[in-house]
Amino acid sequence: MAQRYTADELNKLGQSELVGLVLSMQDEVSRLNSNLETLIEAIRADRQNRFGRTTERIDQIAGQLSLFNEAEGYAEEAGEEPGEEEVIIKVRKKKKKGQREEDVKGLPREAHDHLLTDEQLDEYFGKGCWRRMPQEKYIRVRCQPAVYTVEDHTVDVAVGTNGDHQDEFLRGDRPKDLLRNSIVTPSLMAAIMNTKFVNSLPYFRLENEFRCSGLNLSRQTMSNWTVLVSEKYLKAMVERFKEEQMKEPVLQCDETPVQVIHDNDPDNPNDQKRAAGHKNYMWVHRSGEFNTKTPTIIFEYLRGRGHEGPLEYYKDFNGIVMTDGLQQYHMIDAMLPGLTNANCWAHARRDYADAIKAIGKGNSNAIKTSIAYQALARIKTIYKIEGTLSDLSPEERLRERQKSIKPLVDEYFAWVKERLADTSVLPKGKTAEGLNYSVNQEKYLRVFLTDGNCPIDDSACERALRPFCVGKKNWLFINTAKGARASATAYTVCQTARANNLNVYRYLEHILTELPKLADEDGNIDTSKLDHLLPWSDELPAQCHKPRR
């Protein structure tokens, strides 16, 4: 704590001592003000993250804070005059007829006729005093809860008593079991996995749901089935998905923490990774955003966030990997000669968005004059042009990026460096973090300009992680590492099916019916024989596809 002076002590100080004291107090006040501004920004940003919108779009961020400045906010100096068709308000069209029928297209139907007999009509109107009108027709949809049926299987068994096959047994043909001596069937396993890994319902809620329907299945039983089926069958599908991924020019990667209670190494007594609060990670590797024909999403459970995991995964990959700015990705970029790391522009703008949100409501002038707002405006222009290129081929997209976006990117980085070099108004807080992030990641942020297959950001990968994050909020943690790996396998198959616009339940039911037929005597499945089961295969039954509206 600084020394406190009385009035008499100050009167006894010389001029040089007073000047030094005032200068030190100014430095102290300046430091305290800087810390106070940083704390206020952090509090506002935290409040915004908890209770506000998570959007990073500049028009929505600035728009919600400047309600009375519309003319200035929406004016465009170079804006073109709207055409006649844009100005004249068109009469709203009536609701399309037949939409209700379209909504229930493909569902099974039952006829319910409510008829009037001739006798009823004669009695009411009098004989010959009536005629029939066109019938009224309408539809209603009835919901039937899940129905579970017990299959009683009876297998004939015979034994030879004489001849060449004496004492030999012969049994009737029977379907292969999904799991030996288990009551589980492909349809039941598909229902469990669809509910858990697509609809994010924890096992204990599913257990209660089954009990209400008269089926007594414990969460431990369902968990064991999931681990066994994932290891025995679905793991082969994941390996086949990875084979397809390694052929692609662009992949995307991200990770999220997950708590696994028992994850210590049983062979190492000094391993304390099961300690409370230890972070494990679920990684996701997905095909490039522009691959809409054969998209794959592969989840991988790893004990940590180090570079060893992605280094092992991408060791045979040649192409671009789109990620956030984590240093581990830059390390594998340097270690793997065939891999190029690209960074996400959504992360580059995130700190600027947080800085604007932290300024506070009703302070539109401060927002419009802030460095963060100017940075977001420049990035918005880049995104606006990029948004018009999504339907182009990779070659056309690359040409347009070089022609229209590259000059804007060059201008943005030059502007960022000017702001950091200007010592008269040094940026602070989130704004400074955003500027420094862009400068530090410039090499990786420019990679999307070199390949038309590379997206501008990693948002598609973040969306792929979202189902896992939603589920994580429901079931909170995973008990064992084996369960975490099984969850990664199940999420891989389910989310890849969703990415290919399949009915996940029907797809799971189909592959769990077919995969046991492909297993050899040792339980191994040759991945080269799985092409007909891939989510984009033309040989999948029609029921596996979602109905097109």
Side-chain angles (χ1 to χ4, degrees):
M1 180 180 292
Q3 181 180 351
R4 298 179 65 87
Y5 293 90
T6 64
D8 292 338
E9 289 174 334
L10 289 173
N11 287 329
K12 294 177 182 179
L13 294 177
Q15 181 179 2
S16 60
E17 293 174 314
L18 288 172
V19 170
L21 182 60
V22 171
L23 291 176
S24 66
M25 291 176 64
Q26 287 179 336
D27 292 339
E28 181 70 13
V29 170
S30 177
R31 185 180 65 83
L32 290 174
N33 284 337
S34 178
N35 290 342
L36 181 61
E37 290 175 3
T38 302
L39 287 172
I40 291 175
E41 182 184 59
I43 292 171
R44 285 175 173 169
D46 180 67
R47 186 178 299 166
Q48 173 67 30
N49 289 335
R50 291 184 64 191
F51 305 113
R53 298 185 62 183
T54 57
T55 180
E56 294 168 6
R57 293 179 57 183
I58 185 174
D59 51 347
Q60 296 187 16
I61 296 173
Q64 65 182 351
L65 300 179
S66 54
L67 300 176
F68 304 102
N69 203 12
E70 291 182 288
E72 178 185 349
Y74 294 107
E76 295 183 13
E77 294 182 2
E80 298 182 359
E81 190 74 21
E84 178 181 340
E85 65 278 2
E86 298 180 48
V87 176
I88 298 176
I89 300 176
K90 296 181 179 180
V91 179
R92 183 181 175 184
K93 294 182 178 179
K94 292 183 178 180
K95 186 177 179 180
K96 178 182 172 183
K97 289 187 176 181
Q99 184 61 43
R100 182 173 293 180
E101 285 288 346
E102 186 67 21
D103 291 339
V104 298
K105 182 180 178 181
L107 295 179
R109 307 184 79 110
E110 291 180 357
H112 290 262
D113 297 327
H114 312 284
L115 305 177
L116 290 169
T117 64
D118 291 350
E119 291 76 10
Q120 287 177 300
L121 294 172
D122 287 340
E123 181 180 352
Y124 186 83
F125 292 106
K127 193 167 185 177
C129 299
W130 55 269
R131 64 183 177 87
R132 294 187 180 272
M133 302 289 290
Q135 293 178 317
E136 297 177 354
K137 294 187 177 183
Y138 63 92
I139 62 172
R140 296 291 183 266
V141 177
R142 185 179 75 246
C143 175
Q144 182 178 354
V147 177
Y148 304 97
T149 304
V150 178
E151 298 177 353
D152 290 319
H153 290 262
T154 303
V155 181
D156 273 345
V157 182
V159 62
T161 57
N162 289 301
D164 296 337
H165 299 284
Q166 184 176 353
D167 297 331
E168 290 185 12
F169 288 89
L170 181 65
R171 291 177 173 82
D173 291 336
R174 52 171 290 180
K176 280 197 173 184
D177 290 329
L178 190 62
L179 297 176
R180 183 177 177 84
N181 297 327
S182 172
I183 65 171
V184 68
T185 60
S187 60
L188 180 57
M189 193 70 241
I192 292 172
M193 299 184 80
N194 182 66
T195 305
K196 164 78 172 180
F197 301 106
V198 177
N199 299 328
S200 304
L201 202 67
Y203 283 135
F204 74 88
R205 295 186 194 168
L206 186 54
E207 179 184 7
N208 294 333
E209 188 70 23
F210 279 139
R211 186 176 291 114
C212 291
S213 300
L215 179 60
N216 188 21
L217 274 182
S218 69
R219 66 195 77 172
Q220 290 80 12
T221 299
M222 290 185 282
S223 179
N224 290 338
W225 286 350
T226 300
V227 172
L228 291 172
V229 169
S230 297
E231 181 66 26
K232 191 172 182 179
Y233 300 114
L234 300 186
K235 188 177 179 180
M237 295 294 295
V238 176
E239 292 173 0
R240 186 66 185 86
F241 291 164
K242 186 176 180 181
E243 291 175 8
E244 290 296 313
Q245 272 197 357
M246 293 298 109
K247 301 175 186 177
E248 299 200 22
V250 175
L251 296 178
Q252 298 180 236
C253 183
D254 203 358
E255 78 289 330
T256 187
V258 59
Q259 186 175 1
V260 179
I261 297 178
H262 300 105
D263 188 31
N264 61 314
D265 185 353
D267 299 325
N268 183 4
N270 297 321
D271 186 5
Q272 299 298 320
K273 286 204 170 186
R274 66 175 177 177
H278 171 72
K279 281 187 178 180
N280 306 81
Y281 284 86
M282 187 67 77
W283 295 65
V284 65
H285 316 272
R286 68 151 292 156
S287 51
E289 182 177 354
F290 295 118
N291 178 5
T292 57
K293 294 182 179 180
T294 59
T296 52
I297 300 173
I298 297 180
F299 288 77
E300 182 184 26
Y301 168 71
L302 295 174
R303 299 183 68 190
R305 205 182 188 187
H307 72 282
E308 296 84 3
L311 179 64
E312 175 64 23
Y313 189 90
Y314 293 107
K315 64 182 180 181
D316 298 323
F317 177 68
N318 291 297
I320 295 173
V321 178
M322 166 61 69
T323 68
D324 56 27
L326 193 66
Q327 182 62 28
Q328 282 82 334
Y329 297 122
H330 302 338
M331 292 176 67
I332 67 171
D333 178 283
M335 298 171 72
L336 297 176
L339 184 144
T340 302
N341 183 209
N343 270 185
C344 169
W345 275 85
H347 283 77
R349 71 184 178 189
R350 195 155 293 168
D351 287 326
Y352 301 134
D354 290 341
I356 289 179
K357 294 173 184 177
I359 291 177
K361 293 184 178 181
N363 205 350
S364 59
N365 290 332
I367 289 176
K368 295 297 178 65
T369 57
S370 66
I371 294 176
Y373 182 87
Q374 297 173 44
L376 274 182
R378 294 172 183 273
I379 296 176
K380 175 190 174 183
T381 305
I382 295 173
Y383 264 89
K384 187 175 182 180
I385 298 175
E386 175 67 22
T388 65
L389 310 180
S390 58
D391 295 331
L392 301 182
S393 67
E395 295 76 18
E396 294 172 328
R397 188 180 301 114
L398 180 59
R399 284 196 298 269
E400 286 300 318
R401 283 176 175 175
Q402 289 291 321
K403 175 183 175 182
S404 305
I405 297 180
K406 186 177 183 298
L408 297 175
V409 172
D410 294 338
E411 182 184 353
Y412 168 76
F413 283 112
W415 175 83
V416 168
K417 293 170 184 175
E418 287 177 5
R419 299 285 74 74
L420 290 173
D422 184 5
T423 58
S424 60
V425 185
L426 288 175
K428 296 176 288 186
K430 287 292 184 181
T431 300
E433 291 178 19
L435 294 173
N436 287 317
Y437 180 92
S438 293
V439 170
N440 295 335
Q441 308 294 333
E442 179 180 359
K443 169 188 172 182
Y444 308 101
L445 288 170
R446 287 180 175 272
V447 171
F448 86 102
L449 297 172
T450 64
D451 193 320
N453 290 297
C454 182
I456 192 174
D457 58 35
D458 204 26
S459 298
C461 207
E462 292 185 351
R463 291 193 296 270
L465 262 179
R466 191 169 298 155
F468 176 81
C469 294
V470 171
K472 182 173 63 173
K473 288 184 179 295
N474 289 333
W475 37 256
L476 301 179
F477 57 84
I478 299 175
N479 190 37
T480 65
K482 183 182 288 188
R485 287 190 288 270
S487 293
T489 301
Y491 270 110
T492 295
V493 176
C494 292
Q495 297 307 319
T496 298
R498 286 188 66 187
N500 286 272
N501 199 35
L502 297 182
N503 180 318
V504 179
Y505 168 76
R506 294 297 183 187
Y507 178 68
L508 286 171
E509 183 184 26
H510 175 64
I511 64 174
L512 291 178
T513 301
E514 298 299 320
L515 285 171
K517 303 175 185 177
L518 301 176
D520 60 21
E521 294 180 356
D522 297 325
N524 300 317
I525 298 176
D526 186 355
T527 57
S528 64
K529 298 179 179 179
L530 298 178
D531 287 6
H532 66 291
L533 297 179
L534 294 177
W536 48 85
S537 171
D538 294 332
E539 299 180 37
L540 291 179
Q543 64 182 10
C544 291
H545 297 274
K546 288 183 179 179
R548 293 184 179 180
R549 297 300 185 190

